[in-house]
Amino acid sequence: MVGAARRGGLRKLGPQVLSAIGRQEWLDRPSYRFEHLLSFGFNALGGARNAVTNALNGVWLGHPVHPPLASLTSGALGTTVALDAISLLPGQPAGEVRDASRFATRALGVGILASVGAAVTGVTDWQHTHQEARRVGAVHGLVNLAATALYARSWWERRRGRHGRGIALTALGYGITVAGSYLGGALVFESGIGIDQSGERLRTTQWTPVLAASSLNGKPVRVEVDGVGLVVCQTKPGEVAAFGEFCPHLAAPMEDGWVDRGRLVCPWHGSWFAADSGQVVRGPSAAPLPCYEARLVNGMVEVRGERAPVLGGQRGITK
């Protein structure tokens, strides 16, 4: 009974900690100031801004870059801890202890580099969060920053031959990393940060009339087919397109967006999607916007779930 009660207490501890962090409104002012600095830095890149932010957001990968870098960090640090444990086993030959210590230092170096990369990509994702998710993300970043500082100091001590001190610093940093990983997991699985939030897909293969072309006024218009929400818009004279109703980034309603020079623009964080394919032109969205086949028939817009082959670049032509 005591064991079950203890386990129940541990299960409640995590949500209680997250709830407490989420209530810390005093974190908002410094976090938004930091976001403004980030925006200023990215804007200072001029013409390279989109290329840099797209790389950090993971547009080239199709999903955020932060999670794989965080996994690499955890793997390298876990390897370091394991090799440290091996080097401390009694009765080990001196040569094996030296080898374990040397490889532990190298693995730690990889972990530090990956941690820096994870921090840079993570803060790029974090800058578009709000309220509780922003506060938890800020604490997550600060916790991991403290752990990385300990790893850097550990690496320095090891390089100076003070392996015992280096091992202790790594162990302390790893404990902090585990706590930070819990916060990161909550951001992904509870707040949906980094998850494709574009919603349910349209599966029907039958052409379905949805609205009169005269209803299109230059902005996306929401329609519903088989219980699935879509947005329909005119991309060029005589051409229409249909997309999922939510931005994959943080589920912004695309009916509030607009079409600009062949791009559908997210109304919340300014992601650009190609009007002919839904592919990401500019982040922060890393996943494409679901794009469906659309056409004009006798003044009516018709859509279906599957994209038919596009020949000769013709799409959505009036019939």
Side-chain angles (χ1 to χ4, degrees), residues 213-234:
S214 58
S215 301
L216 299 176
N217 57 3
K219 288 179 58 65
V221 177
R222 185 185 184 278
V223 297
E224 194 169 298
V225 179
D226 291 346
V228 179
L230 315 174
V231 292
V232 177
C233 56
Q234 183 173 335

Side-chain angles (χ1 to χ4, degrees), residues 35-50:
E35 180 196 343
H36 294 158
L37 288 176
L38 286 174
S39 299
F40 179 81
F42 286 136
N43 291 334
L45 296 173
R49 179 192 184 280
N50 287 354

